Amino acid sequence: MSFPISEASPVRFGAALPPRADVVVIGGGVIGVMTAWFLRERGLSVVLCEKGRIAGEQSSRNWGWVRQQGRDPGELPIMVESLAIWKRLAAEMGDVLGFRQTGVLYMAKTEAEIAGFEAWTEHSRAHQLDTRLLTAGETMAMLKGAAAPWKGGLFTASDARAEPWAAVPALAAAAEEKGVVIREACAVRGLDLAAGRVAGVVTEAGRVACDHVVVAAGAWSRLFLGRHGIRIPQLSVLASVAATEPMPEVFAGNAADDDFAFRRRADGGYSIAPGARHDFFIGRDAFASFGVYLPVLKKDFRSTNFRLMAPKGFPDAWSTPRRWALDRESPFERQRILNPAPNMQTLAEVQDSFAKAFPALGRPKLKTAWAGMIDTIPDVVPVVDHAPISGLTIATGMSGHGFGIGPGMGRVVADLVTGRPTGHDLTRFRLSRFSDGSKIEPGPSL
């Protein structure tokens, strides 16, 4: 079984580009789609351009968790709003999203992890979440046939799951019905600037005049913005995931410890992934950002597999150009969809961990496996802010948290673009934190 969304997938969204729009959104992941959705609800004309396919990259390749639990305190209020939007969308759109409120469970193997869970409950109480600490016995009772020596757990029953590769294209189709013009296989090569502000975008299919542009390009955002002199310390890490063959249900929701994570699927299997391990390609941007990433590297060094170079055409590949002419093919056209090979050794370790935790089930058989590139930021929270170029807004670096928070963040970004009150404190996500002398460190998230 190949991944459901690829360059071979038929173009589903092929609208003709208008000569002008109020806003152009760059990137057809969940953040771009939901930003376009809410901009259109505000009455603006919106064009969304995606170089490959809607949700072709990390927005379809993630775990499918819709979680409040463990969020950075800066993200948590937006996530609470996002969950409410997910519930509303599911009620309106039916089962196409695969949305289920089946809960999120974290399992702890050490007293230090338990202490971290307990500390995070302060944030859950501040937002009236239904999060609760579990004893070892309570944790084991939630997981059928479990044999792992967990010392306790953290559980939020209201948290949810959805099916990413079905949900995001369905949301895009609904946005199109609202009047958003969506064009797949249409890379935006760069901004058209006049007197220092946005006057339009130049795409491979022609120019679109506009007053505002939103860059929600995921792992490609740094490369795009860098061409226009805007520096963000964004890098990408490879995360591997697999889908198992159907198995007896051990837990209806989403669960994780440091070794493995899993989510029940509608087909009777599980999506399984490493709890903390990921792969990192060393490239030009990685060298340039070493200093600012040092705190998170110290924290995650043992859980990171370092690779010497990214595949050809990837954003931080040594051969990927950082400058290009707008009347010629861009890097975004040469690499339509990031489709890295999964780390099968890491996934084999996940299979072993699952079998050890649930011995009666044994080692799960894999139906398919895939990987995605997670756009990350040194403090593991996004950049959501106006750029130094007038008319340009950035919404990127969701750091593996984007799928669940996508609807709420889309609403926030839409109001940021239109100058309306966002209803949330976005100070934590400001672009200037990387240049104003602020200490950059990951927040108290799990």
Side-chain angles (χ1 to χ4, degrees):
M1 175 183 172
S2 60
F3 195 76
I5 303 175
S6 71
E7 288 189 49
S9 301
V11 171
R12 179 177 176 184
F13 302 93
L17 294 179
R20 179 172 181 82
D22 293 323
V23 187
V24 172
V25 177
I26 303 172
V30 66
I31 303 299
V33 167
M34 295 312 299
T35 295
W37 174 300
F38 283 102
L39 284 167
R40 184 63 192 141
E41 282 201 342
R42 303 296 184 263
L44 279 69
S45 58
V46 186
V47 171
L48 187 154
C49 291
E50 165 54 49
K51 63 182 176 56
R53 301 292 184 273
I54 292 295
E57 296 187 346
Q58 190 55 23
S59 280
S60 62
R61 297 164 185 262
N62 61 81
W63 295 358
W65 291 28
V66 180
R67 69 174 171 89
Q68 303 160 107
Q69 181 168 295
R71 288 273 176 177
D72 184 279
E75 290 183 341
L76 187 52
I78 302 175
M79 185 58 228
V80 171
E81 176 185 352
S82 193
L83 179 60
I85 297 173
W86 273 108
K87 292 165 67 176
R88 188 180 77 233
L89 292 171
E92 295 172 355
M93 298 174 65
D95 202 41
V96 67
L97 304 179
F99 180 82
R100 299 284 188 280
Q101 281 186 281
T102 47
V104 164
L105 173 65
Y106 288 170
M107 297 90 74
K109 291 183 176 179
T110 67
E111 294 298 334
E113 289 176 312
I114 293 290
F117 291 176
E118 188 171 2
W120 192 85
T121 59
E122 295 182 15
H123 305 299
S124 70
R125 286 193 294 271
H127 294 279
Q128 293 82 50
L129 303 188
D130 56 347
T131 303
R132 59 191 180 98
L133 284 167
L134 305 179
T135 65
E138 290 171 330
T139 302
M140 299 294 279
M142 295 193 74
L143 300 160
K144 298 174 186 176
W150 294 306
K151 294 182 178 296
L154 189 70
F155 181 61
T156 304
S158 60
D159 280 350
R161 70 180 203 242
E163 191 56 75
W165 59 57
V168 180
L171 291 168
E176 187 177 56
E177 290 178 3
K178 290 177 177 290
V180 176
V181 175
I182 303 179
R183 179 75 175 263
E184 293 179 310
C186 183
V188 176
R189 293 172 172 173
L191 303 174
D192 180 25
L193 302 176
R197 67 158 293 120
V198 167
V201 297
V202 178
T203 81
E204 62 180 290
R207 179 181 182 272
V208 179
C210 62
D211 297 319
H212 298 277
V213 170
V214 176
V215 175
W220 296 92
S221 298
R222 178 175 184 156
L223 185 64
F224 182 91
L225 293 167
R227 187 196 179 279
H228 294 284
I230 299 170
R231 306 281 183 249
I232 58 171
Q234 179 192 56
L235 298 176
S236 299
V237 296
L238 182 148
S240 300
V241 190
T244 74
E245 296 287 351
M247 302 172 66
E249 183 175 289
V250 295
F251 182 62
N254 319 321
D257 66 11
D258 279 349
D259 292 327
F260 71 107
F262 62 91
R263 168 179 67 87
R264 186 68 172 168
R265 300 167 54 83
D267 61 10
Y270 285 92
S271 288
I272 61 173
R277 294 202 68 84
H278 51 262
D279 295 61
F280 179 68
F281 296 114
I282 299 172
R284 194 187 313 179
D285 293 340
F287 272 102
S289 303
F290 177 78
V292 73
Y293 272 88
L294 194 55
V296 74
L297 280 173
K298 289 179 178 178
K299 181 180 179 181
D300 290 342
F301 187 82
R302 291 184 179 179
S303 63
T304 302
N305 301 313
F306 291 95
R307 301 192 186 184
L308 288 180
M309 59 181 65
K312 183 179 179 181
F314 276 43
D316 198 22
W318 291 98
S319 59
T320 299
R322 268 53 178 180
R323 295 288 183 272
W324 55 90
L326 297 186
D327 60 352
R328 298 186 181 180
E329 185 184 52
S330 68
F332 315 115
E333 294 150 78
R334 296 175 196 142
Q335 186 76 51
R336 296 286 182 181
I337 295 177
L338 292 175
N339 186 29
N343 187 326
M344 296 308 295
Q345 176 58 44
T346 298
L347 289 175
E349 293 169 4
V350 171
Q351 289 173 280
D352 292 340
S353 296
F354 191 98
K356 186 177 180 180
F358 302 100
L361 295 183
R363 203 167 188 266
K365 296 179 180 179
L366 303 187
K367 182 165 61 174
T368 188
W370 65 90
M373 300 301 295
I374 295 174
D375 51 317
T376 192
I377 297 288
D379 46 10
V380 204
V381 291
V383 173
V384 180
D385 200 357
H386 295 301
I389 298 172
S390 181
L392 181 64
T393 301
I394 303 170
T396 194
M398 298 296 149
S399 303
H401 310 157
F403 178 69
I405 206 172
M409 190 63 81
R411 199 281 302 163
V412 166
V413 176
D415 285 342
L416 188 64
V417 169
T418 57
R420 299 183 179 207
T422 64
H424 300 291
D425 182 2
L426 304 183
T427 303
R428 178 103 166 99
F429 313 135
R430 71 195 187 284
L431 177 62
S432 63
R433 69 189 191 266
F434 303 112
S435 58
D436 63 7
S438 297
K439 186 177 181 181
I440 303 300
E441 57 185 353
S445 59
L446 299 171

